[in-house]
Amino acid sequence: MSDRLRVLPQYLLPKQALTSLMGTLARREAGALTTWVIRRFVARYGVDMSEAAEPDIAAYKSFNAFFTRALRAGARPLAEAPLICPVDGAISQIGPINGDQIFQAKGHFYSTAALVGGDQQLAEQFRNGSFATLYLSPRDYHRIHMPCNGRLTRMIHVPGALFSVNPVTARGVPGLFARNERVVCVFEGEAGPFVLALVGATIVGSMATVWHGVVNPPRPGNLREWRYADQPITLRQGEEMGRFLLGSTVVMLFPPRGPGQPPLRFNPEWAPGRSIRLGEAMAA
């Protein structure tokens, strides 16, 4: 069966309503029932609770509290590299941006402008730059950290669909990451601007950042933007910048290097499908 046929049922699902319902349930504090659900989830997906700051499943009052659990100190040492991996997960795709086109999967591309919500001026800064698309599965740690030092300049909440973001859907839904709801965070770093886009998915109840809190809900259906030029919000490499409530994807954009500078070089061990861990060397 082709990937497009496999994802056909997702076009028919009431994705927004299902996501809203699951978000409500994940926030509920239901005592023994919550603990039972978490235990089943841990067993089903093989979650390693020994890495958590709080390894006792019964200590989590809600599923969201469990899902956004912190890691114990020292669980993810940071590599000495200009850019480090911001999440636990797997590589969906990495590589150069061809003009304004980002490679999604075989036969599928989408534009930088579409990803950032239609802002051509912002997108132009990443023409012929580099990108990385990283997928977080249900078993992974779901906080997102900074790949390098950065000063926040903008945040854009782009409304959209809520397709799954697993590899099959990435191969079957054209422009997936520019169709789904997303929170686009724009930073200024030592090497220029960069973007971390948190892409929502089916049953992803919400996305949050450390400076704003929960961004969605609400879901008003229109693009929302916040600018931070007059606010000194600076995060250092390895610091938490946001989190998903249930699994999803992070897309990063980096600008082209200036004249006389070598192009961005990703870790030679990185390739689509490879498992990755927060803090490992990503690129130089």
Side-chain angles (χ1 to χ4, degrees), residues 10 15-16 19 160-164 180-181 200-204 219:
Q10 292 191 48
K15 295 180 285 295
Q16 292 279 359
T19 297
L162 287 168
F163 287 97
S164 169
N180 271 14
E181 179 182 27
T202 310
I203 310 180
V204 176
R219 290 184 169 94

Side-chain angles (χ1 to χ4, degrees), residues 54-241:
E54 175 50 82
D56 181 8
I57 290 172
Y60 296 97
K61 292 185 177 182
S62 70
F63 188 82
N64 274 350
F66 155 73
F67 204 80
T68 59
R69 63 195 176 277
L71 292 172
R72 61 174 170 78
R76 296 291 185 277
L78 305 183
E80 293 186 7
L83 293 171
I84 62 170
C85 182
V87 295
D88 282 6
I91 299 166
S92 177
Q93 297 292 340
I94 56 171
I97 299 169
N98 295 315
D100 68 344
Q101 295 294 297
I102 303 170
F103 180 64
Q104 176 177 301
K106 184 178 180 180
H108 297 309
F109 293 82
Y110 60 97
S111 73
T112 52
L115 178 70
V116 301
D119 188 326
Q120 292 286 351
Q121 187 174 358
L122 172 60
E124 190 63 25
Q125 297 179 74
F126 303 100
R127 176 173 290 275
N128 296 316
S130 302
F131 80 96
T133 305
L134 310 179
Y135 169 67
L136 287 70
S137 74
R139 67 170 293 171
D140 291 318
Y141 168 68
H142 275 78
R143 299 190 185 191
I144 305 111
H145 294 247
M146 293 291 287
C148 59
N149 298 341
R151 179 177 57 82
L152 180 69
T153 61
R154 298 170 67 184
M155 182 173 73
I156 308 163
H157 174 228
V158 186
L162 287 168
F163 287 97
S164 169
V165 290
N166 63 34
V168 171
T169 312
R171 295 192 299 269
V173 176
L176 173 65
F177 303 119
R179 293 176 72 161
N180 271 14
E181 179 182 27
R182 53 209 178 275
V183 175
V184 178
C185 304
V186 186
F187 293 90
E188 189 67 32
E190 295 174 4
F194 64 96
V195 161
L196 281 103
L198 284 56
V199 183
T202 310
I203 310 180
V204 176
S206 65
M207 292 171 276
T209 64
V210 297
W211 58 85
H212 183 93
V214 173
V215 178
N216 61 317
R219 290 184 169 94
N222 57 282
L223 187 145
R224 295 182 291 158
E225 181 175 356
W226 297 261
R227 291 182 179 259
Y228 301 95
D230 59 345
Q231 299 180 47
I233 301 175
T234 300
L235 299 174
R236 298 194 62 78
Q237 184 181 60
E239 282 191 89
E240 181 187 345
M241 60 76 60

